[in-house]
Amino acid sequence: MHVLIVGAGGFVGRHLAGRLAADGVRVSAAGRDRRRLDRLLPGLSFLACDLATDGMAEWLPRLAGVDAVVNCAGLIRDAGGRYAAVHDKGARALFDACLAAGVRRVIQISALGANEDAVTRYHRSKRAADDHLAGLDPTGERMDWAVVRPSLIVGRGGQSTALFASLAALPLPFRLGSGRWLLQPIHVDDLVEAIVRLLGRPGRIATRIDAVGPAPMTTDAITLGFRRWLGLGSARFLPVPVRLIAATAWLGQRIGLGAVTPESLAMLRAGNVGDVEPFIAICGFRPATLDRALARTPATSTDLAGARLAPLRPVLRGLLALVWLAGGIVPLTLTSWAHSLALLAGAGITGAAAPVALGGAALIDIAIGLALLLRIRLRAAAVISILVMAGYSLILAICFPALWADPFGPLVKNLGVLGLTLAVHALETDRG
């Protein structure tokens, strides 16, 4: 069997590709970034695609010789109306091409809640594509299909796991809203097992399946489950008002940060549960409870450290950005020009070159600070900041060696800033 996975670089796509390849299935990974897919899924064949722009003309030649397609593509944020472009329009073009190319089976990874009562743009866009797929061949005579609608998906590398593990690792775990919002988490391994069984299932499928765990859980119970997995004891919850969560989600939506967006918050508040029995009947197994699923891969000290560091990522980046912004703004607005020019004269920079050097250095500092704050090529900005700071420190050490003995330690403190910069650079390795 030759399986094409669209969105293979995502959380579910990566796990599915790895499982199928381990089972000896021929897998083609489709996505926008070849270098990223080569890094994440070495050894698999790659197809360049972009659901936001590709139509049938682009998809037809890619589908030659493909027996089954699994569409795992999904977005967290609706930046520039991309839900409609990727979830709906792009998926419909893919499904049309599958039918025309003679692909025998298509599996669409949708979302629990993408039904007739869908209210969020995320769910409506998924539902539109689901309906289109089902309408192409309702009985599956020419191309059979399955729409798999998972609830909260947990597992290493997932946004939901990162969120709840971070909440659980806090000294006082945050309580989301009332703490009684209901979800029905399914582990990614169980979701992948279901997809694998659907791919190999004999006969026609033509069905929609809610992929849920064995029972609903409150958000408090999920957080405590992750706390147990991390090896932490019981703790009291710290309530977080819904308005504060909403404000954080709104800000995260604008700056592209965090797993909680206004849409995902609306989904949490509305609840995300379903009946597990049809899933069991179709897929032939019962998904594991959260505790048992997490126990398959016991947490390590690295998991605990990652959970504790995750909430600090934006804090560390913000602090480093503040250092550089202050380094550029203060000399231009608060420090007297006479004092600044006197310092430059001590370094041998005088005359017309002095104001240029002062203004240029300040603008470089501000540019680095803004790049860090706005998440513009973060790792490159961190490397540039190290080089610039090293240059400043070298000049000061040579021209003003007395600063090493200064009680405020202006040069020694650069070592602390260097450590902060290295931490920011390390924590942003998955962002390019």
Side-chain angles (χ1 to χ4, degrees):
M1 177 183 285
H2 181 191
V3 179
L4 173 65
I5 302 176
V6 180
F11 176 47
V12 175
R14 295 198 308 271
H15 280 266
L16 177 61
R19 166 65 187 276
L20 290 175
D23 289 348
V25 176
R26 181 185 173 190
V27 178
S28 292
R32 290 185 300 165
D33 189 339
R34 176 171 192 142
R35 289 185 301 172
R36 182 171 182 271
L37 283 180
D38 282 343
R39 186 176 74 248
L40 295 174
L41 300 168
L44 298 185
S45 61
F46 172 82
L47 289 175
C49 74
D50 188 347
L51 276 176
T53 58
D54 292 349
M56 280 190 64
E58 288 78 19
W59 278 114
L60 283 173
R62 300 169 185 159
L63 296 172
V66 171
D67 300 302
V69 169
V70 183
N71 180 29
C72 297
L75 303 173
I76 297 175
R77 296 176 181 86
D78 189 20
R82 286 181 62 82
Y83 281 164
V86 174
H87 293 170
D88 181 9
K89 181 182 176 183
R92 285 190 283 115
L94 169 63
F95 302 152
D96 290 343
C98 286
L99 182 63
V103 174
R104 188 67 194 93
R105 181 161 291 177
V106 175
I107 297 178
Q108 155 83 338
I109 307 303
S110 184
L112 190 64
N115 51 35
E116 60 277 2
D117 300 322
V119 293
T120 66
R121 291 191 304 275
Y122 178 89
H123 280 141
R124 289 198 299 268
S125 62
K126 283 287 189 180
R127 172 61 189 266
D130 299 348
D131 288 347
H132 183 79
L133 175 61
L136 286 176
D137 191 354
T139 61
E141 293 182 9
R142 293 176 56 199
M143 180 184 77
D144 68 10
W145 52 272
V147 173
V148 181
R149 302 186 293 201
S151 181
L152 184 82
I153 308 171
V154 298
R156 276 199 176 99
Q159 292 268 5
S160 299
T161 293
L163 171 63
F164 280 100
S166 297
L167 295 178
L170 294 170
L172 292 178
F174 286 172
R175 166 171 288 149
L176 297 177
S178 67
R180 295 189 294 273
W181 296 339
L182 288 176
L183 303 171
Q184 207 158 336
I186 183 170
H187 196 276
V188 67
D189 289 347
D190 287 335
L191 177 59
V192 165
E193 178 66 26
I195 297 170
V196 169
R197 294 193 182 201
L198 289 171
L199 286 171
R201 182 185 174 98
R204 302 173 189 168
I205 304 177
T207 189
R208 306 188 198 212
I209 309 165
D210 290 344
V212 295
M217 300 178 69
T218 65
T219 46
D220 272 3
I222 295 172
T223 302
L224 290 175
F226 275 97
R227 193 169 176 86
R228 288 190 295 272
W229 177 65
L230 292 170
L232 301 174
S234 59
R236 296 181 60 185
F237 278 94
L238 180 64
V240 180
V242 175
R243 288 185 178 180
L244 179 58
I245 301 174
T248 304
W250 179 88
L251 180 62
Q253 176 87 335
R254 272 80 196 141
I255 65 176
L257 181 66
V260 180
T261 65
E263 294 247 328
S264 62
L265 177 58
M267 297 177 205
L268 282 172
R269 297 183 69 177
N272 202 242
V273 299
D275 184 0
V276 71
E277 295 305 324
F279 175 91
I280 296 170
I282 295 172
C283 298
F285 73 100
R286 178 177 291 274
T289 63
L290 179 65
D291 283 344
R292 290 186 177 181
L294 293 176
R296 293 169 182 164
T297 52
T300 65
S301 57
T302 303
D303 292 306
L304 180 57
R308 285 175 169 165
L309 280 172
L312 294 178
R313 175 186 286 180
V315 176
L316 296 178
R317 179 169 51 83
L319 290 173
L320 185 60
L322 181 61
V323 169
W324 284 100
L325 289 172
I329 295 172
V330 169
L332 294 179
T333 59
L334 299 179
T335 307
S336 70
W337 275 79
H339 178 69
S340 298
L341 294 176
L343 288 175
L344 289 174
I349 303 174
T350 58
V356 174
L358 177 61
L363 291 177
I364 289 173
D365 288 4
I366 292 172
I368 292 173
L370 289 175
L372 292 166
L373 191 64
L374 301 176
R375 305 173 73 248
I376 302 172
R377 299 189 65 83
L378 278 173
R379 299 190 70 217
V383 171
I384 293 171
S385 71
I386 291 173
L387 296 176
V388 172
M389 182 175 60
Y392 288 165
S393 299
L394 181 62
I395 293 171
L396 291 173
I398 294 173
C399 299
F400 305 99
L403 288 177
W404 286 110
D406 190 292
F408 290 102
L411 283 180
V412 175
K413 287 176 181 176
N414 280 352
L415 297 176
V417 177
L418 173 62
L420 176 60
T421 308
L422 291 173
V424 169
H425 183 271
L427 290 171
E428 297 296 340
T429 53
D430 60 333
R431 297 182 184 271

